[in-house]
Amino acid sequence: MKQAVIELFTIFLIAIGRYLAIAGSAFVIVYKWLPARMAAAKIQLRTVAASQVWQEIRHSATATLMLVIVAYAVMAGPLRPHTLIYASVHDYPLWWLPLSFVLALVMHDAYFYWLHRLIHHKRIFRYVHLVHHLSVNPTPWSSYSFHAVEAVLEAGIIPVLAFTLPLYPGTIAAFTLASFIINVYGHLGYEIMPQWFRRSVLFGIINTSCHHNQHHRRFRGNYGLYFRFWDRLMKTEHPDYVAEYDKVQERRFGK
Protein backbone atom coordinates (compact mmCIF):
# COMPACT_ATOMS: atom_id res chain seq x y z
CA MET A 1 0.00 0.00 0.00
CA LYS A 2 2.78 2.43 0.95
CA GLN A 3 4.62 1.63 -2.29
CA ALA A 4 1.45 2.29 -4.31
CA VAL A 5 1.00 5.69 -2.63
CA ILE A 6 4.63 6.61 -3.39
CA GLU A 7 4.21 5.54 -7.03
CA LEU A 8 0.95 7.46 -7.33
CA PHE A 9 2.48 10.60 -5.83
CA THR A 10 5.49 10.32 -8.16
CA ILE A 11 3.24 10.00 -11.21
CA PHE A 12 1.20 12.98 -10.00
CA LEU A 13 4.36 15.10 -9.73
CA ILE A 14 5.33 14.09 -13.28
CA ALA A 15 1.84 14.87 -14.58
CA ILE A 16 1.59 18.25 -12.85
CA GLY A 17 5.12 19.03 -14.05
CA ARG A 18 4.04 18.25 -17.60
CA TYR A 19 1.02 20.50 -17.20
CA LEU A 20 3.11 23.37 -15.86
CA ALA A 21 5.79 22.92 -18.53
CA ILE A 22 3.53 22.66 -21.59
CA ALA A 23 0.65 24.96 -20.59
CA GLY A 24 3.11 27.32 -18.93
CA SER A 25 5.39 27.51 -21.97
CA ALA A 26 2.44 28.24 -24.26
CA PHE A 27 1.15 30.92 -21.89
CA VAL A 28 4.51 32.62 -21.43
CA ILE A 29 5.25 32.67 -25.15
CA VAL A 30 1.95 34.10 -26.41
CA TYR A 31 0.78 36.10 -23.39
CA LYS A 32 4.07 37.42 -21.98
CA TRP A 33 6.86 37.32 -24.55
CA LEU A 34 5.01 37.99 -27.81
CA PRO A 35 1.67 39.69 -27.02
CA ALA A 36 2.25 42.56 -29.46
CA ARG A 37 3.51 40.30 -32.20
CA MET A 38 0.63 37.87 -31.66
CA ALA A 39 -2.08 40.52 -31.23
CA ALA A 40 -3.66 39.87 -34.63
CA ALA A 41 -4.02 36.19 -33.77
CA LYS A 42 -5.94 36.81 -30.52
CA ILE A 43 -9.42 35.34 -30.80
CA GLN A 44 -11.11 37.31 -28.01
CA LEU A 45 -9.49 40.71 -27.79
CA ARG A 46 -10.19 41.42 -24.11
CA THR A 47 -7.47 40.82 -21.52
CA VAL A 48 -7.43 37.75 -19.29
CA ALA A 49 -7.44 38.59 -15.57
CA ALA A 50 -4.71 37.19 -13.33
CA SER A 51 -7.41 35.85 -10.99
CA GLN A 52 -8.70 33.65 -13.81
CA VAL A 53 -5.24 32.20 -14.41
CA TRP A 54 -4.75 31.28 -10.74
CA GLN A 55 -8.22 29.78 -10.63
CA GLU A 56 -7.43 27.64 -13.69
CA ILE A 57 -4.15 26.41 -12.18
CA ARG A 58 -5.83 25.55 -8.90
CA HIS A 59 -8.62 23.54 -10.54
CA SER A 60 -6.12 21.89 -12.89
CA ALA A 61 -4.07 20.59 -9.95
CA THR A 62 -7.14 18.82 -8.55
CA ALA A 63 -8.15 17.53 -11.97
CA THR A 64 -4.65 16.21 -12.62
CA LEU A 65 -4.77 14.19 -9.40
CA MET A 66 -8.08 12.62 -10.45
CA LEU A 67 -6.73 11.81 -13.91
CA VAL A 68 -3.62 10.23 -12.41
CA ILE A 69 -5.62 8.07 -9.98
CA VAL A 70 -7.77 6.63 -12.78
CA ALA A 71 -4.77 6.08 -15.07
CA TYR A 72 -2.79 4.42 -12.28
CA ALA A 73 -5.65 2.04 -11.43
CA VAL A 74 -5.78 0.93 -15.07
CA MET A 75 -2.08 0.80 -15.94
CA ALA A 76 -0.45 -0.27 -12.69
CA GLY A 77 -3.23 -1.04 -10.23
CA PRO A 78 -5.84 -3.76 -9.80
CA LEU A 79 -7.38 -3.33 -13.26
CA ARG A 80 -4.16 -3.87 -15.21
CA PRO A 81 -4.34 -7.71 -15.43
CA HIS A 82 -7.79 -7.46 -17.02
CA THR A 83 -6.83 -4.95 -19.71
CA LEU A 84 -5.40 -5.48 -23.20
CA ILE A 85 -2.25 -3.51 -22.36
CA TYR A 86 0.79 -5.51 -23.47
CA ALA A 87 4.28 -5.28 -22.00
CA SER A 88 6.61 -6.09 -24.89
CA VAL A 89 6.73 -3.95 -28.01
CA HIS A 90 7.13 -7.19 -30.00
CA ASP A 91 3.84 -8.70 -28.81
CA TYR A 92 2.15 -7.07 -31.81
CA PRO A 93 3.51 -5.99 -35.22
CA LEU A 94 5.31 -2.65 -35.15
CA TRP A 95 2.79 -1.16 -37.58
CA TRP A 96 0.18 -1.57 -34.84
CA LEU A 97 1.89 1.13 -32.75
CA PRO A 98 1.00 4.08 -35.03
CA LEU A 99 -2.33 2.54 -36.00
CA SER A 100 -3.39 2.02 -32.38
CA PHE A 101 -2.30 5.61 -31.63
CA VAL A 102 -4.58 6.96 -34.38
CA LEU A 103 -7.45 4.68 -33.32
CA ALA A 104 -7.07 5.92 -29.73
CA LEU A 105 -7.46 9.52 -30.94
CA VAL A 106 -10.52 8.65 -33.02
CA MET A 107 -12.13 6.78 -30.13
CA HIS A 108 -11.30 9.57 -27.71
CA ASP A 109 -12.84 12.15 -30.01
CA ALA A 110 -16.13 10.19 -30.06
CA TYR A 111 -16.00 9.62 -26.29
CA PHE A 112 -15.29 13.29 -25.62
CA TYR A 113 -18.02 14.55 -27.95
CA TRP A 114 -20.81 12.51 -26.36
CA LEU A 115 -19.55 13.03 -22.81
CA HIS A 116 -19.36 16.75 -23.54
CA ARG A 117 -22.94 16.77 -24.79
CA LEU A 118 -24.03 14.90 -21.65
CA ILE A 119 -22.38 17.23 -19.14
CA HIS A 120 -23.95 20.21 -20.91
CA HIS A 121 -27.38 18.89 -19.96
CA LYS A 122 -29.16 21.52 -17.87
CA ARG A 123 -29.51 19.16 -14.89
CA ILE A 124 -25.80 18.28 -14.87
CA PHE A 125 -23.96 21.31 -16.18
CA ARG A 126 -23.68 23.46 -13.04
CA TYR A 127 -22.60 20.53 -10.88
CA VAL A 128 -19.97 19.08 -13.21
CA HIS A 129 -18.98 21.30 -16.13
CA LEU A 130 -19.50 24.86 -14.93
CA VAL A 131 -15.99 25.03 -13.44
CA HIS A 132 -14.47 24.61 -16.89
CA HIS A 133 -16.75 27.27 -18.35
CA LEU A 134 -15.68 29.85 -15.79
CA SER A 135 -12.95 30.40 -18.38
CA VAL A 136 -15.13 32.21 -20.91
CA ASN A 137 -11.95 33.60 -22.46
CA PRO A 138 -9.75 30.48 -22.16
CA THR A 139 -5.99 30.32 -21.75
CA PRO A 140 -3.56 27.37 -21.95
CA TRP A 141 -3.97 26.98 -18.18
CA SER A 142 -7.68 26.17 -18.63
CA SER A 143 -6.93 22.98 -20.58
CA TYR A 144 -7.25 20.88 -17.39
CA SER A 145 -9.41 23.29 -15.37
CA PHE A 146 -12.13 20.79 -14.48
CA HIS A 147 -14.32 19.97 -11.52
CA ALA A 148 -13.06 16.77 -9.85
CA VAL A 149 -16.11 14.81 -11.07
CA GLU A 150 -15.56 15.95 -14.64
CA ALA A 151 -11.88 15.00 -14.38
CA VAL A 152 -12.86 11.43 -13.43
CA LEU A 153 -15.32 11.30 -16.34
CA GLU A 154 -12.68 12.66 -18.73
CA ALA A 155 -10.20 10.07 -17.46
CA GLY A 156 -12.73 7.37 -18.32
CA ILE A 157 -11.27 7.21 -21.81
CA ILE A 158 -8.24 5.36 -20.40
CA PRO A 159 -10.18 2.28 -19.21
CA VAL A 160 -12.31 2.43 -22.37
CA LEU A 161 -9.18 2.23 -24.52
CA ALA A 162 -7.39 -0.27 -22.29
CA PHE A 163 -10.30 -2.71 -22.36
CA THR A 164 -11.00 -2.45 -26.09
CA LEU A 165 -7.63 -1.92 -27.82
CA PRO A 166 -4.34 -3.79 -27.38
CA LEU A 167 -2.06 -0.92 -26.35
CA TYR A 168 1.62 -0.67 -25.58
CA PRO A 169 2.36 1.56 -22.55
CA GLY A 170 4.48 3.83 -24.74
CA THR A 171 1.51 4.32 -27.08
CA ILE A 172 -0.68 5.30 -24.13
CA ALA A 173 1.98 7.78 -22.99
CA ALA A 174 2.21 9.25 -26.52
CA PHE A 175 -1.59 9.43 -26.73
CA THR A 176 -1.93 11.29 -23.41
CA LEU A 177 0.86 13.70 -24.35
CA ALA A 178 -0.59 14.42 -27.80
CA SER A 179 -4.06 14.82 -26.30
CA PHE A 180 -2.79 17.37 -23.80
CA ILE A 181 -0.83 19.37 -26.38
CA ILE A 182 -3.90 19.52 -28.65
CA ASN A 183 -6.00 20.53 -25.64
CA VAL A 184 -3.59 23.36 -24.84
CA TYR A 185 -3.85 24.54 -28.46
CA GLY A 186 -7.65 24.41 -28.26
CA HIS A 187 -7.59 26.65 -25.19
CA LEU A 188 -4.72 28.86 -26.35
CA GLY A 189 -6.89 31.90 -26.99
CA TYR A 190 -4.90 32.53 -30.18
CA GLU A 191 -5.26 31.04 -33.64
CA ILE A 192 -1.86 29.84 -34.85
CA MET A 193 -2.80 27.67 -37.83
CA PRO A 194 -0.78 28.59 -40.95
CA GLN A 195 -2.43 30.36 -43.87
CA TRP A 196 -2.40 27.28 -46.14
CA PHE A 197 -4.44 25.25 -43.66
CA ARG A 198 -7.69 26.99 -44.66
CA ARG A 199 -7.32 25.81 -48.27
CA SER A 200 -6.42 22.24 -47.39
CA VAL A 201 -8.69 19.23 -46.91
CA LEU A 202 -7.56 19.19 -43.26
CA PHE A 203 -9.65 22.29 -42.52
CA GLY A 204 -12.83 20.26 -42.91
CA ILE A 205 -11.53 17.56 -40.56
CA ILE A 206 -9.45 19.08 -37.76
CA ASN A 207 -10.63 21.40 -35.00
CA THR A 208 -8.89 24.71 -34.39
CA SER A 209 -8.41 27.02 -31.46
CA CYS A 210 -11.12 29.25 -32.96
CA HIS A 211 -13.50 26.28 -33.01
CA HIS A 212 -13.18 25.51 -29.30
CA ASN A 213 -12.97 29.17 -28.33
CA GLN A 214 -16.44 29.65 -29.77
CA HIS A 215 -17.68 26.92 -27.45
CA HIS A 216 -16.27 28.67 -24.38
CA ARG A 217 -17.67 32.02 -25.41
CA ARG A 218 -21.17 30.76 -26.27
CA PHE A 219 -21.44 27.77 -23.90
CA ARG A 220 -23.08 25.67 -26.64
CA GLY A 221 -22.09 23.96 -29.88
CA ASN A 222 -18.65 22.95 -31.15
CA TYR A 223 -18.42 20.03 -28.72
CA GLY A 224 -15.68 18.07 -30.54
CA LEU A 225 -12.12 17.69 -29.32
CA TYR A 226 -9.82 16.80 -32.22
CA PHE A 227 -12.09 16.63 -35.24
CA ARG A 228 -15.11 18.41 -36.70
CA PHE A 229 -16.76 15.12 -37.70
CA TRP A 230 -19.28 14.69 -34.86
CA ASP A 231 -20.27 18.37 -34.75
CA ARG A 232 -20.91 18.40 -38.47
CA LEU A 233 -22.76 15.08 -38.43
CA MET A 234 -24.96 16.06 -35.47
CA LYS A 235 -25.36 19.66 -36.67
CA THR A 236 -23.92 21.11 -33.46
CA GLU A 237 -21.19 23.16 -35.13
CA HIS A 238 -21.81 26.90 -35.00
CA PRO A 239 -22.89 27.99 -38.50
CA ASP A 240 -20.64 31.04 -38.34
CA TYR A 241 -17.52 29.12 -37.27
CA VAL A 242 -15.84 29.34 -40.68
CA ALA A 243 -16.62 33.06 -40.96
CA GLU A 244 -15.12 33.71 -37.51
CA TYR A 245 -12.05 31.65 -38.33
CA ASP A 246 -11.61 33.60 -41.57
CA LYS A 247 -11.97 36.90 -39.72
CA VAL A 248 -9.12 36.04 -37.35
CA GLN A 249 -6.91 34.79 -40.17
CA GLU A 250 -7.70 37.93 -42.16
CA ARG A 251 -6.33 40.01 -39.28
CA ARG A 252 -3.19 37.89 -39.35
CA PHE A 253 -2.52 37.56 -43.07
CA GLY A 254 -4.77 40.09 -44.81
CA LYS A 255 -7.25 39.22 -47.56
Side-chain angles (χ1 to χ4, degrees), residues 4-30:
V5 171
I6 293 172
E7 289 177 355
L8 188 61
F9 183 67
T10 302
I11 296 169
F12 170 73
L13 290 179
I14 294 171
I16 201 70
R18 184 188 70 174
Y19 165 78
L20 293 171
I22 297 175
S25 295
F27 182 82
V28 168
I29 290 170
V30 299

Side-chain angles (χ1 to χ4, degrees), residues 7-243:
E7 289 177 355
L8 188 61
F9 183 67
T10 302
I11 296 169
F12 170 73
L13 290 179
I14 294 171
I16 201 70
R18 184 188 70 174
Y19 165 78
L20 293 171
I22 297 175
S25 295
F27 182 82
V28 168
I29 290 170
V30 299
Y31 286 84
K32 299 298 181 182
W33 288 354
L34 304 173
R37 198 170 180 181
M38 298 285 293
K42 190 78 169 69
I43 300 168
Q44 297 185 46
L45 300 181
R46 54 202 176 85
T47 303
V48 174
S51 58
Q52 176 185 320
V53 169
W54 288 116
Q55 174 181 263
E56 290 170 347
I57 294 172
R58 187 174 69 254
H59 286 305
S60 293
T62 302
T64 298
L65 178 59
M66 298 298 105
L67 293 166
V68 164
I69 290 172
V70 174
Y72 181 81
V74 173
M75 298 189 64
L79 297 178
R80 173 64 185 268
H82 308 289
T83 69
L84 298 178
I85 299 172
Y86 58 95
S88 173
V89 73
H90 301 294
D91 286 347
Y92 284 82
L94 292 180
W95 54 261
W96 176 247
L97 293 174
L99 179 57
S100 61
F101 174 80
V102 172
L103 289 174
L105 291 177
V106 171
M107 290 175 65
H108 188 202
D109 188 67
Y111 177 91
F112 181 89
Y113 177 86
W114 290 106
L115 172 63
H116 204 178
R117 291 284 302 271
L118 173 65
I119 59 180
H120 266 271
H121 189 281
K122 61 183 179 181
R123 293 186 179 178
I124 300 174
F125 178 81
R126 68 190 181 103
Y127 300 108
V128 176
H129 196 44
L130 177 60
V131 166
H132 189 62
H133 272 279
L134 294 175
S135 303
V136 178
N137 188 8
T139 77
W141 297 115
S142 59
S143 50
Y144 270 7
S145 184
F146 306 135
H147 186 281
V149 174
E150 180 176 358
V152 172
L153 294 173
E154 297 283 0
I157 186 58
I158 298 298
V160 168
L161 293 176
F163 282 100
T164 56
L165 280 181
L167 290 170
Y168 182 63
T171 304
I172 298 175
F175 160 75
T176 58
L177 177 61
S179 175
F180 181 60
I181 291 172
I182 294 168
N183 206 5
V184 167
Y185 162 63
H187 293 89
L188 189 64
Y190 289 76
E191 186 51 72
I192 58 173
M193 280 295 186
Q195 190 172 15
W196 59 262
F197 177 75
R198 176 67 175 84
R199 299 186 298 273
S200 75
V201 68
L202 293 175
F203 181 73
I205 300 171
I206 298 174
N207 277 343
T208 64
S209 195
C210 277
H211 192 275
H212 193 65
N213 196 281
Q214 269 193 329
H215 174 77
H216 273 262
R217 192 169 75 251
R218 301 186 181 184
F219 280 55
R220 292 284 179 181
N222 294 12
Y223 296 105
L225 180 58
Y226 308 123
F227 311 116
R228 293 174 62 188
F229 169 75
W230 286 107
D231 277 307
R232 298 179 81 177
L233 179 67
M234 303 307 297
K235 303 187 186 306
T236 53
E237 185 173 85
H238 284 293
D240 59 347
Y241 159 61
V242 174

